[in-house]
Amino acid sequence: MKIALAADHAGYKLKQTIMERLQSDGHEVIDLGTDSSQSVDYPHFAIQVSRAVSSRRADRGLLFCGTGLGMCITANKVAGIRAVSPCDVSQAEMSRRHNDANILCLGQRTLEQESVFDILDVWMSTPFEGGRHERRLNIIAELEENWQSLE
Ligand code: RB5
């Protein structure tokens, strides 16, 4: 798979670790920064990955910050993005099965390294189930255009 990644300063180290892991698993990575632990503003990096996924330059995206939360909030502003920040393997799995999540946001300060790998592996390998879940995702997509009037 082609994976776009980015981090702020608080997720930089985790991005580097995960990037190596993805490459050794045979994935193609697009590193969209940041490239050090010097303080930066996470929305600038979330938007880069979100655009790459939304435009289909990348199949999926990964975002890293202190908690995963600011990245997730920002990414979900972009049409076509379904970003999640799971706390455990079960949420990671369901975010693929039911929500077809296309960006995974992880917190370097909040997750143990072992659970990060488990979450990543499950998220990368679990398929979307489609069916009734597809219908619900279509409603979310409509909301992107029409959020003020759709019920
Ligand atoms: C940076 O201190 C921190 O706020 C950021 O990495 C992230 O956790 C925000 O959601």
Coordinates of all heavy atoms in Angstrom, one line a residue, residues 8-11 40 42 64-71 109, ligand 1:
D8 N 3.7 16.0 14.2 CA 4.3 17.2 14.8 C 5.5 16.8 15.6 O 5.9 15.6 15.6 CB 3.2 18.0 15.6 CG 2.8 17.4 16.9 OD1 3.2 16.3 17.2 OD2 2.0 18.1 17.6
H9 N 6.0 17.8 16.4 CA 7.2 17.5 17.2 C 7.0 16.4 18.2 O 7.8 15.6 18.5 CB 7.7 18.8 17.9 CG 6.6 19.4 18.7 ND1 5.5 20.1 18.1 CD2 6.4 19.4 20.1 CE1 4.7 20.5 19.1 NE2 5.2 20.1 20.3
A10 N 5.7 16.4 18.7 CA 5.4 15.4 19.8 C 5.1 14.0 19.3 O 4.9 13.1 20.1 CB 4.2 15.9 20.6
G11 N 5.1 13.8 18.0 CA 4.9 12.5 17.4 C 6.0 12.1 16.5 O 6.0 11.0 15.9
V40 N 6.3 22.5 16.2 CA 5.6 23.0 15.0 C 4.1 22.9 15.4 O 3.7 22.3 16.4 CB 5.9 22.1 13.8 CG1 7.3 22.3 13.3 CG2 5.6 20.6 14.1
Y42 N 0.5 21.2 14.6 CA 0.1 20.0 14.0 C -0.9 20.2 12.8 O -0.9 19.3 11.9 CB -0.5 19.0 15.1 CG -1.7 19.5 15.8 CD1 -2.9 19.5 15.3 CD2 -1.5 20.1 17.1 CE1 -4.0 19.9 16.0 CE2 -2.6 20.5 17.8 CZ -3.9 20.5 17.2 OH -4.9 21.0 17.9
F64 N 0.7 11.5 13.6 CA 1.3 11.3 14.9 C 1.4 12.6 15.6 O 2.0 13.6 15.0 CB 2.7 10.6 14.9 CG 2.7 9.4 14.0 CD1 2.9 9.4 12.7 CD2 2.5 8.1 14.6 CE1 2.9 8.3 11.9 CE2 2.5 7.0 13.9 CZ 2.7 7.0 12.5
C65 N 0.9 12.7 16.8 CA 1.1 13.9 17.7 C 1.2 13.4 19.1 O 1.4 12.2 19.4 CB 0.1 15.0 17.4 SG -1.6 14.5 17.9
G66 N 1.1 14.3 20.1 CA 1.2 13.9 21.5 C 0.1 12.9 21.8 O 0.4 11.8 22.4
T67 N -1.1 13.2 21.5 CA -2.3 12.4 21.9 C -3.0 11.7 20.7 O -3.8 10.8 20.9 CB -3.3 13.2 22.5 OG1 -3.7 14.3 21.6 CG2 -2.8 13.9 23.8
G68 N -2.7 12.1 19.5 CA -3.4 11.7 18.3 C -4.7 12.5 18.1 O -5.3 12.4 17.0
L69 N -5.1 13.3 19.0 CA -6.4 13.9 19.0 C -6.5 15.2 18.1 O -7.4 15.3 17.3 CB -6.9 14.3 20.4 CG -7.0 13.1 21.3 CD1 -7.4 13.5 22.7 CD2 -8.1 12.1 20.8
G70 N -5.5 16.0 18.2 CA -5.5 17.3 17.4 C -5.4 16.9 15.9 O -6.1 17.5 15.1
M71 N -4.6 15.9 15.6 CA -4.4 15.5 14.2 C -5.8 14.9 13.7 O -6.2 15.2 12.6 CB -3.4 14.4 14.1 CG -1.9 14.8 14.3 SD -1.4 15.9 13.0 CE 0.4 15.8 13.1
R109 N 2.6 10.2 23.2 CA 2.7 10.4 24.6 C 1.6 9.5 25.4 O 1.7 9.5 26.6 CB 2.4 11.9 25.0 CG 3.5 12.8 24.5 CD 3.1 14.3 24.8 NE 4.1 15.2 24.4 CZ 3.9 16.5 24.1 NH1 2.7 17.0 24.3 NH2 4.9 17.2 23.7
Ligands
RB5_1 C1 1.7 19.4 21.3 O1 2.1 19.8 22.6 C2 0.4 18.6 21.5 O2 -0.6 19.5 21.9 C3 0.0 18.0 20.2 O3 1.1 17.1 19.8 C4 -1.2 17.1 20.2 O4 -1.2 16.2 21.3 C5 -2.5 17.8 20.0 O5 -3.6 17.2 20.0

